[in-house]
Amino acid sequence: MSGHKLLLSELKLWTSGRSRWRGRLHAGFSGRGKFFSSYSPKVCIVGSGPAGFYTAQHLIKTRQDVQVDIYERLPVPFGLVRFGVAPDHPEVKNVINTFTQTAKNSRCSFYGNVNVGKDVSVSELQQSYHAVVLSYGAEGNRSIGVPGENLAGVYSAKDFVGWYNGLPSCRELSPDLSCETAVILGQGNVALDVARILLSPVDILQKTDITQPALEALAESLVRRVLIVGRRGPMQVACTVKEVREMVNLPRTKPEMMAADFEGVKEAIKDLPRSRKRLTELMLKTALEMPGEVEQGRRSQASRIWGFRFFRSPVEVLADPDHNRVAGIRLAVNKLEGSGDGARAVLTGEVEDVTCGLVISSIGYKSLPIDPLVPFDSRKAIVPNSIGRVEQATGLYCSGWLKTGPTGVIATTMNNSFDTARTLMEDMDSGALDVSAAKPGSQSISALLEKKGVKAVTFSDWEKIDNVEMSRGEASGKPREKLLTVEEMLQVARK
């Protein structure tokens, strides 16, 4: 049968006995001049960060008939790769090239500026698609849970990172950097990113895609000392050796550690796994060994200081005499019970006060519920699932931090998203997920959004934003200068 006749027969089959779908003759077109059978499995992904794109990539690569639509609340894609990765880590952002290839695949469509849960419900998506994958990440903050955490001068790392990376919702943050000492609670990679940005010479930062307002604020910053506080010890620290090495080598900056924090560590080091051993050796060397002549010379020129403080937990954020803003933090001194990753921090009853004018809480992100009908475990802050299948919700899946909690690096998210994609395809193949009936996909969602006056941003619209940002960056010697408001983004997208 010729392609033309096949097309006609498919359209006849489509309209025959299905009057409710009349007028839907363009359903099988991708918008790029290619026709797909109306019976192709249609999958929608909520969230365009690494989890969303890796899930889409694996589905498209593995099944030649699947069509994937990605919905994103912001007009711009890439989630934490754009808004979470440190500006001085451009190599980590190279995954955007892979995501762009996926977005430009003829079986993939991007719909930005669509707020799922508000503009469209999850059940409306389920009616329009064979499967819905929730990959919207973790945009909530974990509370410190101590008195004084709401004082001016206390910020979450998520918001602070969003501020210097151009997340529209954090644009007004305007942190006060007029103090000498900053305390960061938490010792993961994000905590070290924040410490490094606070202490980096501005001549390094101005060659990155850090936002102009953040660059100007950091140029005027009086912060000269950053303490990175953790409740457990050096052998439980959550960051990687790369991040610590960057702190050790940061120009015009020197480390300041407490030798007492490393008691017994040298003896225990031989039993550690290789990556943990390398990290602990680097910290030991930094804390206890006399540096060589060159390093001594470098440190003598340093005007800024950073250091880990182990075995400490926040008890209270201390206010200034007017009770308006932070003036210090009270830390409980801990001891460890047990060993290795399972060691628990136990209070000793001792406390110490640290004078500081800035407290940044980097104790983890958390996912938030998107829709009352989607199961949600508020204690773990995840959607309860089995290898990505949402419990008691056929056709609903999840990937990324919503599935596992906020753990790991981008490669971890990639593997976890591939697992969800495999689970979904297994369900298609086994019949556990019925893909035999036609679904309207984006056409019915677009009609619904149109009624509500919501205009989606396509991937080619995003490319207009991308071009403007790159041009603006080039003019000031940066890789890009980000647009900082949704309004600006939409204005450029709709030109």
Side-chain angles (χ1 to χ4, degrees):
M1 189 184 287
S2 73
H4 180 65
K5 285 180 180 169
L6 178 63
L7 180 57
L8 283 173
S9 71
E10 287 212 18
L11 290 177
K12 279 177 188 168
L13 183 64
W14 171 252
T15 52
S16 169
R18 294 179 180 270
S19 57
R20 69 186 183 279
W21 298 120
R22 287 193 192 284
R24 186 161 166 347
L25 299 186
H26 297 291
F29 287 93
S30 71
R32 297 178 178 84
K34 293 193 179 181
F35 182 83
F36 298 105
S37 161
S38 300
Y39 291 88
S40 294
K42 290 187 173 70
V43 177
C44 122
I45 294 173
V46 179
S48 70
F53 265 109
Y54 279 128
T55 306
Q57 178 189 319
H58 201 70
L59 286 169
I60 287 164
K61 191 177 173 184
T62 315
R63 269 192 83 118
Q64 297 309 304
D65 61 342
V66 75
Q67 293 175 56
V68 178
D69 292 338
I70 301 173
Y71 290 90
E72 166 60 51
R73 182 169 49 89
L74 288 168
V76 295
F78 311 133
L80 277 188
V81 179
R82 178 180 167 99
F83 296 117
V85 173
D88 58 348
H89 283 175
E91 71 289 347
V92 182
K93 301 183 188 190
N94 288 339
V95 292
I96 284 176
N97 300 331
T98 311
F99 297 163
T100 297
Q101 281 180 348
T102 299
K104 289 187 159 187
N105 186 289
S106 58
R107 291 182 287 119
C108 184
S109 297
F110 171 78
Y111 299 96
N113 194 43
V114 177
N115 191 340
V116 174
K118 183 183 166 194
D119 299 330
V120 57
S121 69
V122 172
S123 60
E124 284 166 334
L125 291 175
Q126 285 181 293
Q127 286 162 32
S128 300
Y129 291 89
H130 295 102
V132 175
V133 185
L134 302 174
S135 306
Y136 61 83
E139 59 178 354
N141 292 316
R142 290 193 185 277
S143 162
I144 312 171
V146 300
E149 71 174 300
N150 296 318
L151 285 167
V154 181
Y155 305 96
S156 73
K158 184 189 82 67
D159 291 347
F160 194 81
V161 169
W163 167 69
Y164 65 64
N165 271 334
L167 184 64
S169 60
C170 300
R171 191 173 67 93
E172 305 292 339
L173 197 72
S174 190
D176 184 348
L177 307 178
S178 62
C179 60
E180 186 184 335
T181 300
V183 169
I184 301 174
L185 302 173
Q187 296 178 327
N189 282 346
V190 175
L192 269 73
D193 283 345
V194 170
R196 199 177 61 254
I197 295 299
L198 281 170
L199 295 175
S200 283
V202 172
D203 55 355
I204 291 175
L205 293 177
Q206 66 189 11
K207 297 180 184 124
T208 73
D209 68 357
I210 193 167
T211 67
Q212 195 58 31
L215 190 62
E216 288 165 12
L218 289 162
E220 300 294 318
S221 170
L222 301 180
V223 175
R224 294 292 176 268
R225 180 169 174 254
V226 177
L227 301 179
I228 306 160
V229 175
R231 62 194 165 87
R232 298 194 293 171
M235 289 190 291
Q236 290 80 34
V237 73
C239 55
T240 58
V241 71
K242 175 183 180 283
E243 301 273 343
V244 176
R245 193 176 289 117
E246 284 179 320
M247 290 303 301
V248 171
N249 296 328
L250 195 61
R252 297 166 232 168
T253 307
K254 64 181 177 183
E256 178 194 84
M257 306 283 199
M258 294 170 67
D261 282 353
F262 291 86
E263 276 176 23
V265 171
K266 215 170 215 174
E267 295 71 36
I269 215 165
K270 62 182 189 303
D271 300 322
L272 296 174
R274 185 172 174 271
S275 58
R276 173 68 69 184
K277 187 177 181 181
R278 282 174 59 228
L279 173 58
T280 312
E281 282 172 344
L282 175 59
M283 287 190 292
L284 265 175
K285 183 181 176 186
T286 306
L288 304 180
E289 285 184 22
M290 176 68 76
E293 202 175 316
V294 174
E295 179 61 10
Q296 273 190 51
R298 192 183 79 84
R299 289 186 189 182
S300 69
Q301 301 294 312
S303 58
R304 302 179 179 199
I305 291 166
W306 71 278
F308 284 120
R309 289 293 180 271
F310 295 105
F311 309 109
R312 304 287 186 275
S313 298
V315 174
E316 183 181 355
V317 179
L318 306 171
D320 66 358
D322 298 327
H323 296 280
N324 287 332
R325 57 171 300 105
V326 59
I329 188 161
R330 181 161 294 154
L331 300 171
V333 180
N334 305 325
K335 62 178 183 181
L336 285 192
E337 280 186 0
S339 60
D341 289 342
R344 284 189 323 116
V346 178
L347 299 174
T348 62
E350 208 182 316
V351 295
E352 64 184 33
D353 291 352
V354 176
T355 301
C356 63
L358 179 65
V359 172
I360 296 175
S361 165
S362 185
I363 56 173
Y365 295 33
K366 70 171 183 178
S367 295
L368 302 171
I370 194 173
D371 189 302
L373 295 176
V374 176
F376 192 79
D377 182 332
S378 50
R379 191 178 62 82
K380 293 181 181 173
I382 60 167
V383 167
N385 69 92
S386 170
I387 329 169
R389 284 181 196 93
V390 176
E391 288 176 10
Q392 297 170 327
T394 305
L396 200 55
Y397 301 81
C398 59
S399 64
W401 284 359
L402 186 64
K403 171 184 171 185
T404 60
T407 57
V409 292
I410 288 178
T412 323
T413 299
M414 177 182 77
N415 291 324
N416 132 8
S417 304
F418 287 178
D419 284 345
T420 293
R422 276 192 284 269
T423 296
L424 200 165
M425 289 185 293
E426 278 170 22
D427 289 354
M428 284 182 185
D429 293 340
S430 70
L433 182 66
D434 182 11
V435 293
S436 63
K439 290 273 189 171
S442 63
Q443 186 174 4
S444 67
I445 301 301
S446 297
L448 192 150
L449 293 172
E450 202 175 321
K451 275 184 197 164
K452 293 188 177 182
V454 177
K455 193 171 180 201
V457 170
T458 65
F459 201 77
S460 56
D461 292 337
W462 146 248
E463 289 179 313
K464 293 180 200 171
I465 297 169
D466 189 32
N467 288 334
V468 166
E469 290 184 343
M470 304 267 271
S471 301
R472 284 174 46 164
E474 200 177 335
S476 54
K478 298 171 71 177
R480 86 169 53 235
E481 188 62 61
K482 292 174 184 169
L483 301 179
L484 301 181
T485 68
V486 168
E487 291 73 28
E488 279 182 295
M489 293 170 183
L490 292 177
Q491 209 175 350
V492 171
R494 285 163 188 171
K495 275 182 181 172

